[in-house]
Amino acid sequence: MAILRRCYGRFRPAQIPKEYYELDSYFTYREGSYRGWWLPIDYGFVYYSWSGYYPNSHAFYTTKPRILWKSDLTSYLYIYGILEGGTNKVGALLSGLGTKYVVLRTDVLPQAQIGFWDELSRALNGLRAQEDLKPVFREGNLYAFEVSDNLSYVSAGNLALIFGGYKTLIALYESGIINTANYAFVFADQLNGKQLTELLRFSDLIVFGEMR
């Protein structure tokens, strides 16, 4: 399939590499309802080596839905969990978001970002270091990892209130004290006083971590 890319006010054809179709085919034959997480996280337009400097949409990647790549939680998991190696349980947290696959694409152009190529290398090493992510696809510039204990749907009968932010949630996953798949998590620092008072009454679990 060819797409049109914008170039100095005009549109020119750009060919999507075959590995994108092969990956989409791989996903198509996997059972269940699930989402994917595409990396690296971008904070602007996305540019590819095969399309030139044209901002592309994530809709081109696959027919499967994706998780929001710029949310506070996924940004934290990417920077702290994968790039900085802060945890090897990223898959467990992604599973709670209904995510089954993590895809790293290495055909992204640097957009004048200092150290960008090093970031791609660190991202790949960080994904390989995760205990609950298994490499399942490698073709061209695409790497795909499967979340070991994926939940094909999100369902939680208990409410957990978290004090201490994302690091507290990660520590809870790593501890193995409870089955975190049974809980919906709410962060206290994202609530106002009235909301916090109400949730304290109905929470099944309250977790305190390092407070900043």
Side-chain angles (χ1 to χ4, degrees):
M1 178 187 293
I3 62 171
L4 293 178
R5 61 183 177 90
R6 187 169 52 199
C7 182
Y8 301 106
R10 299 181 179 181
F11 289 91
R12 295 182 179 179
Q15 193 72 30
I16 300 177
K18 63 180 179 63
E19 57 259 34
Y20 282 85
Y21 299 100
E22 293 173 1
L23 179 60
D24 188 53
S25 177
Y26 178 86
F27 288 160
T28 299
Y29 290 99
R30 296 303 178 277
E31 295 181 355
S33 176
Y34 57 84
R35 297 187 289 180
W37 189 31
W38 288 77
L39 300 175
I41 289 180
D42 64 273
Y43 296 93
F45 292 120
V46 187
Y47 300 87
Y48 299 92
S49 57
W50 45 268
S51 68
Y53 281 92
Y54 165 75
N56 286 272
S57 166
H58 287 253
F60 293 147
Y61 301 157
T62 176
T63 54
K64 288 293 182 180
R66 65 187 188 279
I67 62 173
L68 183 64
W69 65 95
K70 289 192 233 180
S71 72
D72 288 342
L73 177 57
T74 54
S75 294
Y76 187 82
L77 288 179
Y78 178 59
I79 296 172
Y80 172 76
I82 295 176
L83 294 183
E84 297 179 0
T87 179
N88 56 11
K89 298 291 187 181
V90 166
L93 290 131
L94 290 173
S95 179
L97 300 175
T99 305
K100 188 173 183 178
Y101 293 101
V102 180
V103 179
L104 175 67
R105 56 195 191 278
T106 59
D107 53 3
V108 186
L109 294 176
Q111 306 175 59
Q113 297 180 36
I114 298 175
F116 182 79
W117 301 121
D118 178 60
E119 176 184 329
L120 292 179
S121 176
R122 288 166 59 202
L124 181 57
N125 291 334
L127 288 169
R128 287 171 170 168
Q130 298 301 311
E131 292 183 354
D132 45 16
L133 294 180
K134 178 178 66 174
V136 293
F137 181 92
R138 165 70 172 93
E139 188 67 37
N141 291 298
L142 298 181
Y143 298 79
F145 298 79
E146 184 176 352
V147 176
S148 300
D149 297 318
N150 165 255
L151 299 175
S152 61
Y153 58 91
V154 179
S155 176
N158 303 296
L159 177 65
L161 186 60
I162 304 293
F163 289 83
Y166 296 135
K167 277 192 176 181
T168 303
L169 178 59
I170 290 175
L172 183 63
Y173 272 96
E174 292 178 336
S175 71
I177 296 174
I178 63 171
N179 183 356
T180 50
N182 295 330
Y183 288 84
F185 296 97
V186 179
F187 294 94
D189 60 354
Q190 298 176 3
L191 305 175
N192 60 37
K194 182 178 180 180
Q195 293 170 332
L196 183 58
T197 300
E198 288 296 313
L199 284 179
L200 282 170
R201 296 171 51 201
F202 297 106
S203 295
D204 302 287
L205 178 71
I206 301 176
V207 183
F208 293 91
E210 179 182 351
M211 303 296 290
R212 294 181 178 179

